[in-house]
Amino acid sequence: MTVRTRFAPSPTGFLHIGGARTALYCWLEARRRGGEFLLRIEDTDRERSTDEAVQAILDAMAWLDLSADEAPVYQTQRLARYREVAERLLAEGKAYYAYESKEEIDAMREAAMARGEKPRYNGFYRDRNEPYREDPNRVIRFRNPLEGSVVFEDKVKGRVEWANAELDDLVIFRSDGWPTYNFAVVVDDIDMGITEVIRGDDHVNNTPRQINIYHALGAPVPEFAHLPMILDKEGKKLSKRTNSVSVMEYREEGYLPHAILNYLVRLGWSHGDQEIFSREEMVRLFDVADVNKAASRFDTEKLNWLNQHYLKTDDPAVLAPEFAWHLARAGIDATHGPQPADVIVALRDRVHTLNEMAERAKIWYGPIEAWDDKAVAKHLKNDSAAAVLEAAKGLLVAVEWKPEPIHGVIEQVAAKLELGMGKIAQPLRVAITGTQVSPSIDHTIYLCGRDEALKRFDHALVLARG
RNA sequence: GCUCCCAUCGUCUAGCGGUCUAGGACACCGCCCUCUCAAGGCGGGAACACGAGUUCGAACCUCGUUGGGAGCGCCA
């Protein structure tokens, strides 16, 4: 049988970083085993689901390049099917109508808690065989087995056993006429031919209930793999207050999609000592069965390292479009000025993210915004600065405009004036950038462009002599 | 409260009864390189939560303790 996995987010917000990892693992598992990866939008909560959220999730998936093999399935479009299945369960006596009000249910729960028990439905309508009737409180409940236990072999957690006595008769159809999560999921997973249910840890508790529904429906039970949670740096649940949780926020912060994927694949899974995984390697080596049981913390420092790793090793031409996106966001008009790919080469050893890179690139796309007074005082207003600037200007006018020849010019100036590189590079750097920190001086000058560089030297000469 | 789950350096992890004076990576510290900042190279500190038991032998198996987490909805 073909392996089929699915990622099933509910569109109540953006694609969460934890959701992204779940999607990645589902995608990888399907790919490795030559199967299919599907997407299902769980939008039955009409109060909280929005079209914007659906689009945001789709966009994030596309940006991460985790494409589904079939068009997404929307639960809201499958209502008739859920009804049909629920009717069948009703007809077979595997489900029944119940008419308690929400207040009654709440009271039931509180009473159980008071008795030190789990808050559960007491099964009042279980054996009453109440017929269908118009009632605002009408729900359909699943007749869960009373005895025995549900056992399943979770691919990451191992054997899980659950006493049916712990489970109550869950609502499968709400009074508003929509199916509940636990029911819709099972119907969908059966209809979609899902063979591997890979999802977050928070669903383990639902699994026994769902397995009972599979049994009631006479459908084969898929394999389950419950992924541990991703916690924040403090070991707390990831929250918007303290972390970026949306994948697209990470994009805005300048992270590369494959850096995020590489970070995520190693969070809870490993392959010996390997840290860097290409897509092909992930597909070949990943196996959900090797995923760790314990929750892990999200460490931005390591993500930073990975992001810079890819910044340094990827082809600048391939990185250029994503970088251009950041330049535009930073309000930079890149139609004039240096090629983004050249800027990447100059800055990639110095930053961890693309937006940091865009910020530093400003110096070559527009005028110097702020002069560092200390830099000017130290490197421009001294005995040799003016001479250095003059000499450099003289040679730069005619040199071939590439980093290497420019580097040659600087060496010539040093030789001619009998000065060390420090005495040459720093005044030039301040002249071009207004600060004493920048990439190597040849690149710094090169990226500025000949005309602009000469203009900045002239201005610096004024400062040096003033 | 009840049910279930988890536990190796600060963090991500390797380890699947002897090869562990516990390996790698991020972060941190030091040195080197150096036109600044980085990057890079070399080196360093840093962990088996605790207690019993099983065994000739335990990070690995069992039980308990402690500490964390999840769930207990007409939310997903």
Side-chain angles (χ1 to χ4, degrees):
Chain A
M1 187 162 53
T2 320
V3 169
R4 282 167 68 94
T5 64
R6 50 48 165 199
F7 175 55
S10 59
T12 55
F14 304 109
L15 179 61
H16 189 276
I17 198 76
R21 188 185 61 166
T22 303
L24 172 64
Y25 285 12
C26 290
W27 185 85
L28 288 173
E29 189 67 7
R31 283 287 165 281
R32 182 185 103 255
R33 299 167 64 188
E36 282 130 26
F37 167 66
L38 313 183
L39 183 62
R40 180 172 69 232
I41 305 296
E42 311 219 321
D43 51 358
T44 52
D45 183 348
R46 284 125 64 257
E47 300 273 300
R48 300 194 300 150
S49 300
T50 65
D51 291 343
E52 292 70 43
V54 171
Q55 196 50 51
I57 289 167
L58 260 22
D59 288 347
M61 296 282 288
W63 183 67
L64 291 174
D65 197 16
L66 295 178
S67 54
D69 295 307
E70 290 173 12
V73 170
Y74 291 81
Q75 292 190 323
T76 43
Q77 293 175 4
R78 290 175 41 78
L79 184 55
R81 173 63 179 154
Y82 303 131
R83 282 221 175 94
E84 178 189 340
V85 178
E87 291 293 342
R88 190 184 126 200
L89 251 21
L90 243 15
E92 293 173 358
K94 291 169 179 167
Y96 58 92
Y97 290 112
Y99 296 92
E100 282 96 350
S101 67
K102 288 179 187 174
E103 292 70 34
E104 286 174 289
I105 297 293
D106 286 344
M108 201 182 289
R109 250 188 278 285
E110 278 173 36
M113 285 280 255
R115 268 180 271 125
E117 290 169 12
K118 255 171 117 160
R120 303 187 315 169
Y121 177 61
N122 64 13
F124 182 81
Y125 283 97
R126 183 180 170 101
D127 300 311
R128 298 198 168 237
N129 278 317
E130 290 282 330
Y132 173 96
R133 68 166 189 260
E134 285 301 333
D135 188 315
N137 291 327
R138 187 194 62 250
V139 298
I140 299 175
R141 285 188 182 267
F142 177 67
R143 202 185 299 273
N144 197 77
L146 259 19
E147 291 167 0
S149 59
V150 181
V151 178
F152 64 99
E153 197 63 34
D154 191 282
K155 286 195 151 183
V156 347
K157 299 202 161 304
R159 182 189 156 91
V160 177
E161 180 166 2
W162 219 281
N164 273 320
E166 291 295 329
L167 274 20
D168 62 358
D169 289 351
L170 72 155
V171 170
I172 58 175
F173 248 85
R174 306 194 295 236
S175 55
D176 67 0
W178 284 87
T180 58
Y181 167 76
N182 280 114
F183 181 62
V185 161
V186 174
V187 176
D188 289 336
D189 283 339
I190 291 171
D191 290 352
M192 290 167 79
I194 301 304
T195 60
E196 316 279 323
V197 173
I198 301 168
R199 73 221 315 189
D201 221 346
D202 44 341
H203 290 290
V204 233
N205 304 275
N206 291 323
T207 307
R209 300 170 176 286
Q210 294 179 197
I211 288 176
N212 281 332
I213 298 177
Y214 275 97
H215 289 328
L217 259 20
V221 179
E223 298 262 17
F224 292 96
H226 288 96
L227 275 19
M229 306 209 68
I230 297 179
L231 274 18
D232 70 11
K233 206 172 174 54
E234 280 72 46
K236 300 289 176 199
K237 202 169 173 174
L238 276 180
S239 83
K240 288 182 188 105
R241 238 182 302 286
T242 51
N243 293 77
S244 295
V245 294
S246 154
V247 167
M248 288 319 237
E249 263 180 272
Y250 282 93
R251 180 186 194 192
E252 287 164 12
E253 286 168 15
Y255 294 99
L256 266 4
H258 48 298
I260 292 176
L261 257 21
N262 195 150
Y263 178 71
L264 255 19
V265 82
R266 278 285 288 104
L267 203 57
W269 173 83
S270 62
H271 181 260
D273 290 339
Q274 191 169 346
E275 296 288 350
I276 305 298
F277 293 87
S278 67
R279 253 181 188 252
E280 294 66 35
E281 286 175 312
M282 285 185 204
V283 168
R284 183 156 43 83
L285 302 170
F286 181 81
D287 187 333
V288 252
D290 295 332
V291 171
N292 288 153
K293 296 177 180 184
S296 41
R297 303 183 189 202
F298 194 91
D299 181 14
T300 309
E301 297 291 349
K302 188 159 182 181
L303 208 212
N304 283 340
W305 171 73
L306 271 167
N307 205 56
Q308 186 180 39
H309 169 81
Y310 285 110
L311 248 26
K312 287 187 299 188
T313 55
D314 282 357
D315 181 350
V318 173
L319 256 23
E322 184 70 6
F323 180 48
W325 184 82
H326 284 276
L327 286 175
R329 271 189 103 243
I332 294 167
D333 173 12
T335 52
H336 304 290
Q339 291 297 315
D342 285 340
V343 177
I344 290 170
V345 172
L347 287 172
R348 62 185 174 183
D349 285 341
R350 297 169 170 77
V351 300
H352 291 109
T353 62
L354 284 175
N355 68 339
E356 202 182 334
M357 189 181 274
E359 195 54 41
R360 295 215 197 177
K362 279 184 177 169
I363 199 65
W364 296 296
Y365 289 101
I368 293 174
E369 287 175 341
W371 288 84
D372 175 349
D373 295 337
K374 267 196 239 166
V376 172
K378 184 174 177 188
H379 299 295
L380 250 31
K381 295 179 188 299
N382 63 31
D383 297 343
S384 55
V388 170
L389 287 162
E390 284 291 6
K393 254 185 71 182
L395 290 167
L396 251 19
V397 175
V399 78
E400 184 193 0
W401 204 253
K402 282 183 181 171
E404 300 73 29
I406 293 172
H407 186 78
V409 162
I410 292 160
E411 285 184 331
Q412 281 178 56
V413 173
K416 187 174 147 199
L417 301 180
E418 296 185 322
L419 289 170
M421 280 301 275
K423 283 282 179 191
I424 305 295
Q426 284 307 74
L428 298 180
R429 187 167 348 253
V430 176
I432 297 289
T433 70
T435 73
Q436 40 192 339
V437 177
S438 85
S440 63
I441 193 60
D442 45 9
H443 275 80
T444 299
I445 295 172
Y446 163 72
L447 291 172
C448 203
R450 192 193 315 263
D451 294 348
E452 180 63 21
L454 295 177
K455 263 165 65 184
R456 291 188 189 187
F457 284 162
D458 281 336
H459 182 75
L461 273 168
V462 174
L463 291 174
R465 288 168 176 148

